[in-house]
Amino acid sequence: MDAVNLKNLAKQLNLSVSTVSKAFRGSYDISEKTRERILSLARELNYQPNPLASSLRTQKSHTIAVIIPEIANNFFTLAINGIESVAQELGYHVLIYITHEDEAKEISFTRLLQSGRVDGVLMSLSKGTRDFSHINRLREMALPLVFFDRIYEEYPTTRITTNDFESGYKATKHLIDQGARRIAHLFLSGNLSIAQKRKQGYLQALDDHKIKRAEKLMVACGNDADENKKLIKACLKKEKPDAIFSSFEKLALLSYEACAELKLRIPEDVKIISFSNLETAPLLNPSLTTITQPAFEIGEQAARALFAALKKNRTAIPDKHIVVDSTLVRRKSTE
Amino acid sequence: MDAVNLKNLAKQLNLSVSTVSKAFRGSYDISEKTRERILSLARELNYQPNPLASSLRTQKSHTIAVIIPEIANNFFTLAINGIESVAQELGYHVLIYITHEDEAKEISFTRLLQSGRVDGVLMSLSKGTRDFSHINRLREMALPLVFFDRIYEEYPTTRITTNDFESGYKATKHLIDQGARRIAHLFLSGNLSIAQKRKQGYLQALDDHKIKRAEKLMVACGNDADENKKLIKACLKKEKPDAIFSSFEKLALLSYEACAELKLRIPEDVKIISFSNLETAPLLNPSLTTITQPAFEIGEQAARALFAALKKNRTAIPDKHIVVDSTLVRRKSTE
DNA sequence: TTGTAAGCGTTATCAT
DNA sequence: ATGATAACGCTTACAA
């Protein structure tokens, strides 16, 4: 069966291509009667306009790209859900690109997006990103870009995060209030601003409570889970922390495993709190105290910020930092 | 800055558009010297070919669509990971569509894909799908389609699932071996073939062990979590099962909550086994015995099946059912 | 109200 | 080895 297109329809109706085209776009200089004829034949033949042709012509793809570091991660999964729901509502299509925390991939993805494939980009930086020229290039190309969570702080666009400093502070203070004094901090190595903010919150809380900072209690983790678990175990064994504040969910889960393997009891020997969107946090053994980010909402807001700019036809996106609050949920792991 | 395109490059080099175009496609009737000139200017100006134009011309979008019922779900997250890794390797782009188990959305998505936007589709049916005409239409349009997990059994294409019947049987038998006799089964209402297969495995296992089937022990769940929890609690209270076999991860988590609320101990009062790709299954209280599907591999294989067909230029995809095995992982919830 | 024709940025065929 | 030109399917001035 030959694809049905405008030319096709036009011929069968003895009309011109442009008349048919206009009918679909609800132009009011088409008579009610011919419009009816056109639409009815279109329905019958199940006509679908070719989006490539139309995008090429209008310079709008009605598609956005979402670039994230990983997807087997509850935060990003929820964020995508938020993004997708807005995209669906507004009739946009969503391309997904996963960098696996790799700067080289991030660079090559941004390259691919530079020529009309998408109208805009939502992005969360990968841990490995050290140089930002690929991102600045997007600005030169006037490709609208909104950051969420793992933002590029200096980039003049809308950037959405949670209150990371305050949350880091609150998490640490919570541990202190629960009696902890040797608090380890697990974070992801690299340049991520959110990791730094959380760490600063941690340090500030220590300072405010006259607890001495100790480099050895701050564990920079990488990409490899086994490696990370070793780092955590080493810290637990050598430094004997009485609590752990983990900046990233997966590091908390590794801590649970590490504690089990070292026969350390949670929370008796080690209290644990972590940034996390884990649905099963309440069901863990013991249930995990979390700093929970409103991930769906973050995705949603990022998408809305982007689409608002797209509607206004490539208006620059407001240069501002939107902060939504995380919530601390107390559970057994810090009791 | 004006977008740099072929015409643009050609003018600056005093060459024709077609020469420049050929240079990029490594045509060998371009002299080494001019090719060098072209590529070097392209690099300098950071030229990126416009994929819309090129797709329109070649009738290949180098893009696939993935249609799934939900994304806040470890199985689908892992499957996407598998799909995306293959797509990345082969230079394809991935569009994501989430039906939220809604047939209407599934229909409208398949519509959108009918006119050149994508070269092929990977799909897992939504629970709500009762009519398949929208899917059959994709065949009429000769749009390559591969199913994974929630397959449309009658559709002549490659369909990838786990060994659902056997897994259902094995799960049930495991509960029986552990001493259970009143085994409830939680599944998703609707037409999903995998749900039916799993249930058949369950029933067969009961039959083989001379345990009487009981309608009231078979709980059909819907989309609403609260509603589902009520159903599960009602079953636990009225039917007093000594074990639960859950076909879907989220139903198992609700069962944990239900048991907690009813002060039922797992596994002493109720043993639980579930299909699940939960990373935290070993960390739950108690750890959850699972039937784990090789989700990443399923996604990967589905993608490979699709791309193989695409490479051969719209050859029909082999009509076959690929079965990969799930594994039963024994943990405390069924001890 | 309808039609003509140019053009979006490519690729591919056919000349030169 | 290079170039002119016609598509791909659509939108949009502008003309009729």
PDB file of all heavy atoms in Angstrom, chain D residues 3-15:
ATOM      1  P    DG D   3      31.953  21.783  -8.591  1.00  0.00           P
ATOM      2  OP1  DG D   3      32.330  23.197  -8.745  1.00  0.00           O
ATOM      3  OP2  DG D   3      31.648  21.225  -7.256  1.00  0.00           O
ATOM      4  O5'  DG D   3      30.711  21.500  -9.545  1.00  0.00           O
ATOM      5  C5'  DG D   3      30.872  21.723 -10.928  1.00  0.00           C
ATOM      6  C4'  DG D   3      29.531  21.621 -11.617  1.00  0.00           C
ATOM      7  O4'  DG D   3      29.146  20.221 -11.700  1.00  0.00           O
ATOM      8  C3'  DG D   3      28.387  22.335 -10.899  1.00  0.00           C
ATOM      9  O3'  DG D   3      27.617  23.004 -11.877  1.00  0.00           O
ATOM     10  C2'  DG D   3      27.606  21.197 -10.239  1.00  0.00           C
ATOM     11  C1'  DG D   3      27.841  20.043 -11.202  1.00  0.00           C
ATOM     12  N9   DG D   3      27.823  18.723 -10.595  1.00  0.00           N
ATOM     13  C8   DG D   3      28.551  18.306  -9.509  1.00  0.00           C
ATOM     14  N7   DG D   3      28.346  17.041  -9.201  1.00  0.00           N
ATOM     15  C5   DG D   3      27.423  16.611 -10.141  1.00  0.00           C
ATOM     16  C6   DG D   3      26.830  15.337 -10.309  1.00  0.00           C
ATOM     17  O6   DG D   3      27.005  14.320  -9.648  1.00  0.00           O
ATOM     18  N1   DG D   3      25.937  15.321 -11.385  1.00  0.00           N
ATOM     19  C2   DG D   3      25.679  16.402 -12.187  1.00  0.00           C
ATOM     20  N2   DG D   3      24.795  16.205 -13.164  1.00  0.00           N
ATOM     21  N3   DG D   3      26.224  17.595 -12.050  1.00  0.00           N
ATOM     22  C4   DG D   3      27.092  17.625 -11.002  1.00  0.00           C
ATOM     23  P    DA D   4      26.576  24.076 -11.498  1.00  0.00           P
ATOM     24  OP1  DA D   4      26.860  25.317 -12.253  1.00  0.00           O
ATOM     25  OP2  DA D   4      26.446  24.109 -10.032  1.00  0.00           O
ATOM     26  O5'  DA D   4      25.268  23.403 -12.116  1.00  0.00           O
ATOM     27  C5'  DA D   4      25.287  22.985 -13.464  1.00  0.00           C
ATOM     28  C4'  DA D   4      23.972  22.289 -13.818  1.00  0.00           C
ATOM     29  O4'  DA D   4      23.968  20.955 -13.228  1.00  0.00           O
ATOM     30  C3'  DA D   4      22.718  22.984 -13.303  1.00  0.00           C
ATOM     31  O3'  DA D   4      21.726  22.846 -14.315  1.00  0.00           O
ATOM     32  C2'  DA D   4      22.367  22.198 -12.033  1.00  0.00           C
ATOM     33  C1'  DA D   4      22.835  20.792 -12.404  1.00  0.00           C
ATOM     34  N9   DA D   4      23.286  19.969 -11.282  1.00  0.00           N
ATOM     35  C8   DA D   4      24.100  20.348 -10.246  1.00  0.00           C
ATOM     36  N7   DA D   4      24.373  19.387  -9.402  1.00  0.00           N
ATOM     37  C5   DA D   4      23.690  18.289  -9.915  1.00  0.00           C
ATOM     38  C6   DA D   4      23.579  16.961  -9.479  1.00  0.00           C
ATOM     39  N6   DA D   4      24.190  16.486  -8.395  1.00  0.00           N
ATOM     40  N1   DA D   4      22.818  16.116 -10.225  1.00  0.00           N
ATOM     41  C2   DA D   4      22.217  16.601 -11.329  1.00  0.00           C
ATOM     42  N3   DA D   4      22.255  17.830 -11.846  1.00  0.00           N
ATOM     43  C4   DA D   4      23.020  18.634 -11.075  1.00  0.00           C
ATOM     44  P    DT D   5      20.246  23.418 -14.102  1.00  0.00           P
ATOM     45  OP1  DT D   5      19.676  23.597 -15.454  1.00  0.00           O
ATOM     46  OP2  DT D   5      20.296  24.529 -13.138  1.00  0.00           O
ATOM     47  O5'  DT D   5      19.504  22.184 -13.445  1.00  0.00           O
ATOM     48  C5'  DT D   5      19.549  20.923 -14.121  1.00  0.00           C
ATOM     49  C4'  DT D   5      18.633  19.954 -13.413  1.00  0.00           C
ATOM     50  O4'  DT D   5      19.335  19.271 -12.334  1.00  0.00           O
ATOM     51  C3'  DT D   5      17.416  20.606 -12.750  1.00  0.00           C
ATOM     52  O3'  DT D   5      16.315  19.744 -12.942  1.00  0.00           O
ATOM     53  C2'  DT D   5      17.813  20.674 -11.278  1.00  0.00           C
ATOM     54  C1'  DT D   5      18.548  19.333 -11.165  1.00  0.00           C
ATOM     55  N1   DT D   5      19.447  19.180 -10.015  1.00  0.00           N
ATOM     56  C2   DT D   5      19.657  17.914  -9.514  1.00  0.00           C
ATOM     57  O2   DT D   5      19.140  16.920  -9.995  1.00  0.00           O
ATOM     58  N3   DT D   5      20.508  17.848  -8.444  1.00  0.00           N
ATOM     59  C4   DT D   5      21.150  18.896  -7.817  1.00  0.00           C
ATOM     60  O4   DT D   5      21.892  18.707  -6.873  1.00  0.00           O
ATOM     61  C5   DT D   5      20.889  20.196  -8.381  1.00  0.00           C
ATOM     62  C7   DT D   5      21.520  21.419  -7.786  1.00  0.00           C
ATOM     63  C6   DT D   5      20.049  20.279  -9.437  1.00  0.00           C
ATOM     64  P    DA D   6      14.850  20.285 -12.854  1.00  0.00           P
ATOM     65  OP1  DA D   6      14.411  20.686 -14.210  1.00  0.00           O
ATOM     66  OP2  DA D   6      14.794  21.252 -11.734  1.00  0.00           O
ATOM     67  O5'  DA D   6      14.052  18.972 -12.434  1.00  0.00           O
ATOM     68  C5'  DA D   6      14.513  17.708 -12.933  1.00  0.00           C
ATOM     69  C4'  DA D   6      14.331  16.665 -11.853  1.00  0.00           C
ATOM     70  O4'  DA D   6      15.355  16.822 -10.830  1.00  0.00           O
ATOM     71  C3'  DA D   6      12.986  16.757 -11.117  1.00  0.00           C
ATOM     72  O3'  DA D   6      12.542  15.430 -10.898  1.00  0.00           O
ATOM     73  C2'  DA D   6      13.355  17.449  -9.799  1.00  0.00           C
ATOM     74  C1'  DA D   6      14.735  16.859  -9.556  1.00  0.00           C
ATOM     75  N9   DA D   6      15.603  17.628  -8.668  1.00  0.00           N
ATOM     76  C8   DA D   6      15.797  18.985  -8.637  1.00  0.00           C
ATOM     77  N7   DA D   6      16.664  19.375  -7.729  1.00  0.00           N
ATOM     78  C5   DA D   6      17.063  18.196  -7.119  1.00  0.00           C
ATOM     79  C6   DA D   6      17.977  17.933  -6.076  1.00  0.00           C
ATOM     80  N6   DA D   6      18.666  18.875  -5.445  1.00  0.00           N
ATOM     81  N1   DA D   6      18.141  16.639  -5.713  1.00  0.00           N
ATOM     82  C2   DA D   6      17.443  15.695  -6.360  1.00  0.00           C
ATOM     83  N3   DA D   6      16.561  15.826  -7.354  1.00  0.00           N
ATOM     84  C4   DA D   6      16.421  17.111  -7.692  1.00  0.00           C
ATOM     85  P    DA D   7      11.056  15.132 -10.553  1.00  0.00           P
ATOM     86  OP1  DA D   7      10.879  13.669 -10.304  1.00  0.00           O
ATOM     87  OP2  DA D   7      10.264  15.815 -11.583  1.00  0.00           O
ATOM     88  O5'  DA D   7      10.897  15.940  -9.186  1.00  0.00           O
ATOM     89  C5'  DA D   7      10.152  15.353  -8.152  1.00  0.00           C
ATOM     90  C4'  DA D   7      11.002  14.351  -7.401  1.00  0.00           C
ATOM     91  O4'  DA D   7      12.346  14.879  -7.275  1.00  0.00           O
ATOM     92  C3'  DA D   7      10.455  14.137  -5.999  1.00  0.00           C
ATOM     93  O3'  DA D   7      10.186  12.776  -5.806  1.00  0.00           O
ATOM     94  C2'  DA D   7      11.537  14.630  -5.053  1.00  0.00           C
ATOM     95  C1'  DA D   7      12.754  14.851  -5.928  1.00  0.00           C
ATOM     96  N9   DA D   7      13.355  16.159  -5.594  1.00  0.00           N
ATOM     97  C8   DA D   7      13.084  17.387  -6.142  1.00  0.00           C
ATOM     98  N7   DA D   7      13.805  18.367  -5.639  1.00  0.00           N
ATOM     99  C5   DA D   7      14.596  17.733  -4.704  1.00  0.00           C
ATOM    100  C6   DA D   7      15.579  18.213  -3.813  1.00  0.00           C
ATOM    101  N6   DA D   7      15.937  19.494  -3.732  1.00  0.00           N
ATOM    102  N1   DA D   7      16.168  17.321  -3.006  1.00  0.00           N
ATOM    103  C2   DA D   7      15.817  16.036  -3.084  1.00  0.00           C
ATOM    104  N3   DA D   7      14.907  15.461  -3.877  1.00  0.00           N
ATOM    105  C4   DA D   7      14.338  16.386  -4.660  1.00  0.00           C
ATOM    106  P    DC D   8       8.828  12.390  -5.117  1.00  0.00           P
ATOM    107  OP1  DC D   8       8.280  11.272  -5.887  1.00  0.00           O
ATOM    108  OP2  DC D   8       8.060  13.633  -4.934  1.00  0.00           O
ATOM    109  O5'  DC D   8       9.131  11.859  -3.658  1.00  0.00           O
ATOM    110  C5'  DC D   8      10.369  11.487  -3.142  1.00  0.00           C
ATOM    111  C4'  DC D   8      10.497  11.906  -1.699  1.00  0.00           C
ATOM    112  O4'  DC D   8      11.477  12.971  -1.648  1.00  0.00           O
ATOM    113  C3'  DC D   8       9.242  12.495  -1.063  1.00  0.00           C
ATOM    114  O3'  DC D   8       8.578  11.473  -0.337  1.00  0.00           O
ATOM    115  C2'  DC D   8       9.766  13.605  -0.154  1.00  0.00           C
ATOM    116  C1'  DC D   8      11.219  13.780  -0.537  1.00  0.00           C
ATOM    117  N1   DC D   8      11.637  15.160  -0.951  1.00  0.00           N
ATOM    118  C2   DC D   8      12.818  15.708  -0.453  1.00  0.00           C
ATOM    119  O2   DC D   8      13.498  15.049   0.342  1.00  0.00           O
ATOM    120  N3   DC D   8      13.195  16.955  -0.851  1.00  0.00           N
ATOM    121  C4   DC D   8      12.437  17.630  -1.724  1.00  0.00           C
ATOM    122  N4   DC D   8      12.859  18.837  -2.094  1.00  0.00           N
ATOM    123  C5   DC D   8      11.230  17.082  -2.248  1.00  0.00           C
ATOM    124  C6   DC D   8      10.868  15.864  -1.833  1.00  0.00           C
ATOM    125  P    DG D   9       7.005  11.238  -0.484  1.00  0.00           P
ATOM    126  OP1  DG D   9       6.688   9.946   0.143  1.00  0.00           O
ATOM    127  OP2  DG D   9       6.633  11.509  -1.887  1.00  0.00           O
ATOM    128  O5'  DG D   9       6.374  12.397   0.397  1.00  0.00           O
ATOM    129  C5'  DG D   9       6.562  12.382   1.795  1.00  0.00           C
ATOM    130  C4'  DG D   9       6.110  13.695   2.372  1.00  0.00           C
ATOM    131  O4'  DG D   9       6.951  14.744   1.853  1.00  0.00           O
ATOM    132  C3'  DG D   9       4.681  14.098   2.004  1.00  0.00           C
ATOM    133  O3'  DG D   9       4.024  14.422   3.205  1.00  0.00           O
ATOM    134  C2'  DG D   9       4.844  15.300   1.087  1.00  0.00           C
ATOM    135  C1'  DG D   9       6.158  15.868   1.569  1.00  0.00           C
ATOM    136  N9   DG D   9       6.890  16.665   0.615  1.00  0.00           N
ATOM    137  C8   DG D   9       6.925  16.507  -0.756  1.00  0.00           C
ATOM    138  N7   DG D   9       7.693  17.388  -1.358  1.00  0.00           N
ATOM    139  C5   DG D   9       8.192  18.180  -0.328  1.00  0.00           C
ATOM    140  C6   DG D   9       9.058  19.294  -0.370  1.00  0.00           C
ATOM    141  O6   DG D   9       9.590  19.802  -1.345  1.00  0.00           O
ATOM    142  N1   DG D   9       9.314  19.798   0.903  1.00  0.00           N
ATOM    143  C2   DG D   9       8.782  19.293   2.057  1.00  0.00           C
ATOM    144  N2   DG D   9       9.129  19.901   3.189  1.00  0.00           N
ATOM    145  N3   DG D   9       7.951  18.254   2.111  1.00  0.00           N
ATOM    146  C4   DG D   9       7.704  17.745   0.887  1.00  0.00           C
ATOM    147  P    DC D  10       2.580  14.992   3.304  1.00  0.00           P
ATOM    148  OP1  DC D  10       1.923  14.376   4.444  1.00  0.00           O
ATOM    149  OP2  DC D  10       1.947  14.975   1.979  1.00  0.00           O
ATOM    150  O5'  DC D  10       2.880  16.515   3.669  1.00  0.00           O
ATOM    151  C5'  DC D  10       3.397  16.804   4.954  1.00  0.00           C
ATOM    152  C4'  DC D  10       4.053  18.157   4.943  1.00  0.00           C
ATOM    153  O4'  DC D  10       4.795  18.305   3.733  1.00  0.00           O
ATOM    154  C3'  DC D  10       3.086  19.334   4.958  1.00  0.00           C
ATOM    155  O3'  DC D  10       2.961  19.783   6.302  1.00  0.00           O
ATOM    156  C2'  DC D  10       3.760  20.385   4.107  1.00  0.00           C
ATOM    157  C1'  DC D  10       4.954  19.675   3.489  1.00  0.00           C
ATOM    158  N1   DC D  10       5.088  19.868   2.032  1.00  0.00           N
ATOM    159  C2   DC D  10       5.878  20.905   1.565  1.00  0.00           C
ATOM    160  O2   DC D  10       6.414  21.656   2.394  1.00  0.00           O
ATOM    161  N3   DC D  10       6.032  21.067   0.229  1.00  0.00           N
ATOM    162  C4   DC D  10       5.436  20.231  -0.623  1.00  0.00           C
ATOM    163  N4   DC D  10       5.627  20.419  -1.939  1.00  0.00           N
ATOM    164  C5   DC D  10       4.621  19.158  -0.166  1.00  0.00           C
ATOM    165  C6   DC D  10       4.466  19.019   1.154  1.00  0.00           C
ATOM    166  P    DT D  11       1.859  20.899   6.593  1.00  0.00           P
ATOM    167  OP1  DT D  11       1.697  20.917   8.054  1.00  0.00           O
ATOM    168  OP2  DT D  11       0.702  20.686   5.717  1.00  0.00           O
ATOM    169  O5'  DT D  11       2.587  22.241   6.134  1.00  0.00           O
ATOM    170  C5'  DT D  11       3.637  22.743   6.950  1.00  0.00           C
ATOM    171  C4'  DT D  11       4.093  24.072   6.418  1.00  0.00           C
ATOM    172  O4'  DT D  11       4.416  23.963   5.008  1.00  0.00           O
ATOM    173  C3'  DT D  11       3.084  25.206   6.531  1.00  0.00           C
ATOM    174  O3'  DT D  11       3.823  26.338   6.949  1.00  0.00           O
ATOM    175  C2'  DT D  11       2.557  25.367   5.114  1.00  0.00           C
ATOM    176  C1'  DT D  11       3.802  25.014   4.303  1.00  0.00           C
ATOM    177  N1   DT D  11       3.622  24.493   2.917  1.00  0.00           N
ATOM    178  C2   DT D  11       4.367  25.044   1.909  1.00  0.00           C
ATOM    179  O2   DT D  11       5.151  25.960   2.069  1.00  0.00           O
ATOM    180  N3   DT D  11       4.169  24.486   0.664  1.00  0.00           N
ATOM    181  C4   DT D  11       3.315  23.435   0.350  1.00  0.00           C
ATOM    182  O4   DT D  11       3.223  23.018  -0.795  1.00  0.00           O
ATOM    183  C5   DT D  11       2.556  22.905   1.465  1.00  0.00           C
ATOM    184  C7   DT D  11       1.610  21.788   1.237  1.00  0.00           C
ATOM    185  C6   DT D  11       2.737  23.456   2.676  1.00  0.00           C
ATOM    186  P    DT D  12       3.096  27.603   7.548  1.00  0.00           P
ATOM    187  OP1  DT D  12       3.876  28.053   8.715  1.00  0.00           O
ATOM    188  OP2  DT D  12       1.676  27.296   7.671  1.00  0.00           O
ATOM    189  O5'  DT D  12       3.286  28.657   6.377  1.00  0.00           O
ATOM    190  C5'  DT D  12       4.567  28.790   5.750  1.00  0.00           C
ATOM    191  C4'  DT D  12       4.451  29.777   4.617  1.00  0.00           C
ATOM    192  O4'  DT D  12       4.196  29.069   3.383  1.00  0.00           O
ATOM    193  C3'  DT D  12       3.300  30.771   4.769  1.00  0.00           C
ATOM    194  O3'  DT D  12       3.696  31.977   4.143  1.00  0.00           O
ATOM    195  C2'  DT D  12       2.197  30.130   3.964  1.00  0.00           C
ATOM    196  C1'  DT D  12       3.032  29.579   2.801  1.00  0.00           C
ATOM    197  N1   DT D  12       2.426  28.480   2.015  1.00  0.00           N
ATOM    198  C2   DT D  12       2.886  28.242   0.743  1.00  0.00           C
ATOM    199  O2   DT D  12       3.768  28.888   0.226  1.00  0.00           O
ATOM    200  N3   DT D  12       2.269  27.208   0.094  1.00  0.00           N
ATOM    201  C4   DT D  12       1.246  26.412   0.595  1.00  0.00           C
ATOM    202  O4   DT D  12       0.770  25.515  -0.091  1.00  0.00           O
ATOM    203  C5   DT D  12       0.816  26.721   1.932  1.00  0.00           C
ATOM    204  C7   DT D  12      -0.269  25.915   2.564  1.00  0.00           C
ATOM    205  C6   DT D  12       1.409  27.730   2.573  1.00  0.00           C
ATOM    206  P    DA D  13       3.838  33.315   4.993  1.00  0.00           P
ATOM    207  OP1  DA D  13       5.241  33.633   4.725  1.00  0.00           O
ATOM    208  OP2  DA D  13       3.330  33.084   6.342  1.00  0.00           O
ATOM    209  O5'  DA D  13       2.996  34.519   4.416  1.00  0.00           O
ATOM    210  C5'  DA D  13       2.608  34.506   3.133  1.00  0.00           C
ATOM    211  C4'  DA D  13       3.732  34.919   2.164  1.00  0.00           C
ATOM    212  O4'  DA D  13       4.012  33.770   1.312  1.00  0.00           O
ATOM    213  C3'  DA D  13       3.285  36.013   1.235  1.00  0.00           C
ATOM    214  O3'  DA D  13       4.362  36.693   0.620  1.00  0.00           O
ATOM    215  C2'  DA D  13       2.474  35.239   0.220  1.00  0.00           C
ATOM    216  C1'  DA D  13       3.204  33.881   0.162  1.00  0.00           C
ATOM    217  N9   DA D  13       2.233  32.772   0.185  1.00  0.00           N
ATOM    218  C8   DA D  13       1.428  32.387   1.233  1.00  0.00           C
ATOM    219  N7   DA D  13       0.649  31.361   0.949  1.00  0.00           N
ATOM    220  C5   DA D  13       0.969  31.047  -0.371  1.00  0.00           C
ATOM    221  C6   DA D  13       0.498  30.064  -1.250  1.00  0.00           C
ATOM    222  N6   DA D  13      -0.443  29.176  -0.912  1.00  0.00           N
ATOM    223  N1   DA D  13       1.016  30.039  -2.487  1.00  0.00           N
ATOM    224  C2   DA D  13       1.967  30.926  -2.820  1.00  0.00           C
ATOM    225  N3   DA D  13       2.501  31.894  -2.080  1.00  0.00           N
ATOM    226  C4   DA D  13       1.948  31.897  -0.853  1.00  0.00           C
ATOM    227  P    DC D  14       4.035  38.109  -0.087  1.00  0.00           P
ATOM    228  OP1  DC D  14       5.325  38.738  -0.441  1.00  0.00           O
ATOM    229  OP2  DC D  14       3.037  38.833   0.727  1.00  0.00           O
ATOM    230  O5'  DC D  14       3.328  37.639  -1.432  1.00  0.00           O
ATOM    231  C5'  DC D  14       4.068  36.842  -2.358  1.00  0.00           C
ATOM    232  C4'  DC D  14       3.144  36.359  -3.440  1.00  0.00           C
ATOM    233  O4'  DC D  14       2.335  35.277  -2.951  1.00  0.00           O
ATOM    234  C3'  DC D  14       2.165  37.435  -3.946  1.00  0.00           C
ATOM    235  O3'  DC D  14       2.341  37.547  -5.341  1.00  0.00           O
ATOM    236  C2'  DC D  14       0.794  36.891  -3.555  1.00  0.00           C
ATOM    237  C1'  DC D  14       1.063  35.384  -3.543  1.00  0.00           C
ATOM    238  N1   DC D  14       0.126  34.584  -2.717  1.00  0.00           N
ATOM    239  C2   DC D  14      -0.388  33.390  -3.242  1.00  0.00           C
ATOM    240  O2   DC D  14      -0.037  33.041  -4.379  1.00  0.00           O
ATOM    241  N3   DC D  14      -1.257  32.648  -2.495  1.00  0.00           N
ATOM    242  C4   DC D  14      -1.596  33.062  -1.274  1.00  0.00           C
ATOM    243  N4   DC D  14      -2.436  32.294  -0.579  1.00  0.00           N
ATOM    244  C5   DC D  14      -1.079  34.266  -0.712  1.00  0.00           C
ATOM    245  C6   DC D  14      -0.233  34.991  -1.461  1.00  0.00           C
ATOM    246  P    DA D  15       1.584  38.704  -6.147  1.00  0.00           P
ATOM    247  OP1  DA D  15       2.606  39.437  -6.914  1.00  0.00           O
ATOM    248  OP2  DA D  15       0.630  39.422  -5.277  1.00  0.00           O
ATOM    249  O5'  DA D  15       0.785  37.769  -7.151  1.00  0.00           O
ATOM    250  C5'  DA D  15       1.244  36.434  -7.334  1.00  0.00           C
ATOM    251  C4'  DA D  15       0.339  35.655  -8.261  1.00  0.00           C
ATOM    252  O4'  DA D  15      -0.492  34.772  -7.462  1.00  0.00           O
ATOM    253  C3'  DA D  15      -0.630  36.481  -9.105  1.00  0.00           C
ATOM    254  O3'  DA D  15      -0.772  35.834 -10.354  1.00  0.00           O
ATOM    255  C2'  DA D  15      -1.917  36.463  -8.290  1.00  0.00           C
ATOM    256  C1'  DA D  15      -1.849  35.073  -7.633  1.00  0.00           C
ATOM    257  N9   DA D  15      -2.474  35.013  -6.313  1.00  0.00           N
ATOM    258  C8   DA D  15      -2.341  35.922  -5.285  1.00  0.00           C
ATOM    259  N7   DA D  15      -3.018  35.599  -4.201  1.00  0.00           N
ATOM    260  C5   DA D  15      -3.639  34.397  -4.545  1.00  0.00           C
ATOM    261  C6   DA D  15      -4.492  33.548  -3.833  1.00  0.00           C
ATOM    262  N6   DA D  15      -4.877  33.784  -2.569  1.00  0.00           N
ATOM    263  N1   DA D  15      -4.942  32.437  -4.462  1.00  0.00           N
ATOM    264  C2   DA D  15      -4.534  32.201  -5.719  1.00  0.00           C
ATOM    265  N3   DA D  15      -3.727  32.929  -6.491  1.00  0.00           N
ATOM    266  C4   DA D  15      -3.316  34.025  -5.836  1.00  0.00           C
TER     267       DA D  15
END
